[in-house]
Amino acid sequence: GKADLKRAAWGDFNSLSDGAAPEIAGVQGEVVWSEAEQKGYMRLTGLKPNDPQREQYQLWIVDERGLNQRVSGAIFDATSGDVIVPIEPRIKIKNAAIFAVTIEAPGGTWVSDMTRRVCLAALPKA
């Protein structure tokens, strides 16, 4: 139920050791996640509206399996700078740790190269 809701604020996604700057900086908002229900939502402010024919935003969830086994949690568009998106991962998440948004080709991708980074949120440890 509601007891296991975790929240985390978005920050710039620029910390994959290569130091590259995020493509869109300054995105704000939060992630709300229920491990028990395997769903949640995210609120983002400051996104650039995208052209869905050219690119879409994609959410990645990193859990105890680590970065290399990251799971797609959503593929979405921003029609304005302010969006609310449901999080619905395709496979069961175990101990969600990090949520990250990237920009991908239309329809998303199975394995992102994580080069077009937007924002990242780290859940508080259990």
Side-chain angles (χ1 to χ4, degrees):
K2 297 273 185 285
D4 82 320
L5 277 185
K6 287 188 173 180
R7 294 171 184 268
W10 292 113
D12 286 347
F13 182 0
N14 55 3
S15 54
L16 265 187
S17 76
D18 59 14
E23 190 162 330
I24 304 172
V27 174
Q28 295 184 306
E30 67 174 352
V31 174
V32 179
W33 170 251
S34 166
E35 190 93 15
E37 295 181 17
Q38 289 289 302
K39 63 184 182 189
Y41 69 90
M42 53 184 165
R43 194 169 46 78
L44 303 108
T45 304
L47 280 183
K48 292 192 174 110
N50 62 304
D51 175 356
Q53 303 300 315
R54 292 180 53 228
E55 60 199 20
Q56 289 188 289
Y57 292 103
Q58 190 161 3
L59 170 71
W60 301 94
I61 305 170
V62 179
D63 67 3
E64 65 188 20
R65 289 170 287 220
L67 184 65
N68 292 329
Q69 298 286 317
R70 55 191 173 268
V71 176
S72 177
I75 298 165
F76 63 100
D77 299 314
T79 50
S80 70
D82 216 344
V83 296
I84 293 176
V85 181
I87 301 170
E88 297 173 328
R90 293 177 179 158
I91 64 175
K92 189 171 169 62
I93 301 299
K94 301 169 187 158
N95 297 317
I98 294 169
F99 292 77
V101 174
T102 61
I103 301 169
E104 304 294 345
T109 181
W110 281 102
V111 182
S112 172
D113 61 13
M114 306 300 262
T115 55
R116 302 187 65 191
R117 303 172 199 159
V118 181
C119 56
L120 184 143
L123 286 186
K125 296 277 186 282

